[in-house]
Amino acid sequence: MDKIREFVPLLDWGRTYSRHALSNDLMAAVIVTIMLIPQSLAYALLAGLPPEAGIYASIVPILLYTVFGTSRALAVGPVAVVSLMTAAAVGEVAQQGTMGYTVAALTLAGLSGALLLAMGIFRLGFLANFLSHPVIAGFIAASGILITASQLKHVLGISASGDTLIDMVASLVAHIDTVNPVTLVIGVSATAFLFWVRKGLKPTLVKLGVSPGAAGVATKAGPVVAVIATTLAVWGLGLTGLGVAVVGEVPQSLPPLTMPSLSPELLGTLFMPAVLISVIGFVESISVAQTLAAKKRQRIDPDQELIGLGAANIGAAFTGGYPVTGGFSRSVVNYDAGAETPAAGAFTALGLAIAAVALTPLVYFLPKATLAATIIVAVLSLVDLSILRKTWFYSKSDFYAVATTILLTLVLGVEVGVSAGVVLSIALHLYKTSRPHVAEVGCVPGTQHFRNINRHRVETDTSLLTLRVDESLYFVNARFLEDLLQDRLAERPEIRNVILMCSAVNEIDYSALEILEVINHRLKEIGVGFHLSEVKGPVMDRLKGAHFLQELNGRVFLSQYDAWLALGSLRHAAQ
């Protein structure tokens, strides 16, 4: 039973579900549903799909995550970055507005779900750690700029296209003479209003005597006010006759049963985009989930999160949706609104289902410019270019990685940008660990502590060389250690003993073991002792399973101080 609860967290938290939790979850669901209706429509527009796809992608996926996910506050559904990546990937295989485009989006969701599910089952959540946070921040910032640029055509009421910033700007400039003045007024007004709502409405309401809680709810409902006002304006003034583009007819139904394609050619084409969407989606989702869980001292299981997100995406594939993940803004709103359990997500799904059945006729006259304004205001909060300044002063290698990711995303598109980010993250990790920090250490006078001779006043011994390696030894950096030792021995022929201080070495792989055997053999030939100190238990267990310790030209010391005393005594005795 415990094993079942591990894979179905609903069976765990569901046992202790209370009326208090029900009350809080229902309140949170109402607030999130109000926010999600315009947001879901907007993100579907960004993905190049019919607006109802955004609502469909927010119903069954949420229900499945409620069953299999571990976060109490994460709200799953369409998000801006994944919507943009979906448009970029699906646009390569089909034209927007066609059945093939919709089927490709379903297939992309199914592939992404299968990959996430497989990663969760095989407990591969750690792989997301190879994507560094600065690179992710750079990619999301660049994606925010791309998304904003892609939505300007709806604000201006013109036809424009392009997958890169250069193409988008060129297309906008080429069609600038066809700007629709009425659409422009609607788009700019909605954008300005939403920016004011986000920054100024809550302080204004608090000054007027409204409680902070109620003011917060009113702020979250800002996009709904913009939707209602602009929809009524277009309908009442007959603005469609003046060229204002509207959402149009949205099917009045629950999510349909759909079937992703099993075409080997399509699956092969979409496989790599699905991998990238899965990785980016998981990293974004787990970051939000862990941040919110930490505030309530709750635990998030990354591998189970993979299963939850995988199930959500598979659900989207079979119910008319497209790739989904945990969204930052909706999750924060869910948390702030008092969500106690994942049941809040289930109630949100119920609210969206009611909206899909009963409210869709009301959005017929909703101008696309308003949806574009909703997207622009939401994603511009993601554009944080201060990461460039921070990394420049802290780590030049991280700066170059971030700058390259941003530049490639803007110039060559999201797939190239995120691919470059993944490659750069792994390359940076390998580069940093291939040249580990190795310090020569000496004894701090009057203590048993050993510190870097270049940073502290320490006692040293000309015949003794102690190197502390501040990294695990594996195939990438073992040769570096060998070369470093050779250089030190060539510079100082008086050395009679070498001690490798292993206090920071968590693992020695087989390639590194072979290099240590070579070092041991060479030192033995020239009459220099080779010793180890402060070897951790798991590392020692591995070494005992090999022949290295039996052939070691020296000893293994429990502490560096023991080695210092013992080898010093031997030296004095020899003299």
Side-chain angles (χ1 to χ4, degrees), residues 169-240:
V169 171
S171 184
L172 287 170
V173 171
H175 294 87
I176 198 69
D177 57 337
T178 62
V179 170
N180 184 302
V182 180
T183 301
L184 180 62
V185 170
I186 293 172
V188 170
S189 300
T191 304
F193 172 74
L194 290 174
F195 269 120
W196 176 76
V197 165
R198 180 172 286 242
K199 300 291 185 182
L201 179 59
K202 185 174 181 178
T204 301
L205 292 176
V206 170
K207 286 181 180 178
L208 293 175
V210 179
S211 69
V217 172
T219 300
K220 303 299 186 296
V224 178
V225 175
V227 165
I228 293 173
T230 55
T231 300
L232 289 175
V234 172
W235 171 69
L237 300 175
L239 299 182
T240 52

Side-chain angles (χ1 to χ4, degrees), residues 4-239:
I4 296 176
R5 286 196 192 118
E6 183 180 338
F7 282 98
V8 186
L10 169 64
L11 298 176
D12 185 25
W13 59 263
R15 291 182 305 154
T16 58
Y17 199 63
S18 63
R19 287 187 177 181
H20 175 73
L22 173 63
S23 174
N24 287 341
D25 286 344
L26 283 172
M27 178 57 68
V30 170
I31 295 171
V32 175
T33 300
I34 291 171
M35 184 187 99
L36 275 188
I37 292 173
Q39 196 179 76
S40 298
L41 296 172
Y43 287 154
L45 181 73
L46 176 59
L49 291 163
E52 64 268 18
I55 294 180
Y56 295 160
S58 301
I59 297 177
V60 172
I62 294 178
L63 292 173
L64 288 170
Y65 181 82
T66 299
V67 175
F68 296 104
T70 60
S71 173
R72 302 283 177 110
L74 190 70
V76 170
V79 300
V81 173
V82 171
S83 297
L84 177 67
M85 295 177 72
T86 298
V90 177
E92 294 292 323
V93 297
Q95 186 175 357
Q96 282 190 22
T98 65
M99 181 60 69
Y101 191 94
T102 302
V103 171
L106 297 174
T107 305
L108 187 61
L111 261 179
S112 178
L115 288 168
L116 288 164
L117 199 59
M119 289 174 66
I121 291 172
F122 292 105
R123 310 192 73 80
L124 300 178
F126 69 91
L127 292 176
N129 296 334
F130 286 97
L131 205 54
S132 72
H133 178 264
V135 167
I136 282 287
F139 171 72
I140 290 177
S143 296
I145 295 172
L146 278 181
I147 291 169
T148 300
S150 73
Q151 295 307 296
L152 289 178
K153 62 183 180 183
H154 297 297
V155 174
L156 299 173
I158 63 178
S159 298
S161 59
D163 294 324
T164 69
L165 185 62
I166 295 173
D167 292 341
M168 290 177 188
V169 171
S171 184
L172 287 170
V173 171
H175 294 87
I176 198 69
D177 57 337
T178 62
V179 170
N180 184 302
V182 180
T183 301
L184 180 62
V185 170
I186 293 172
V188 170
S189 300
T191 304
F193 172 74
L194 290 174
F195 269 120
W196 176 76
V197 165
R198 180 172 286 242
K199 300 291 185 182
L201 179 59
K202 185 174 181 178
T204 301
L205 292 176
V206 170
K207 286 181 180 178
L208 293 175
V210 179
S211 69
V217 172
T219 300
K220 303 299 186 296
V224 178
V225 175
V227 165
I228 293 173
T230 55
T231 300
L232 289 175
V234 172
W235 171 69
L237 300 175
L239 299 182

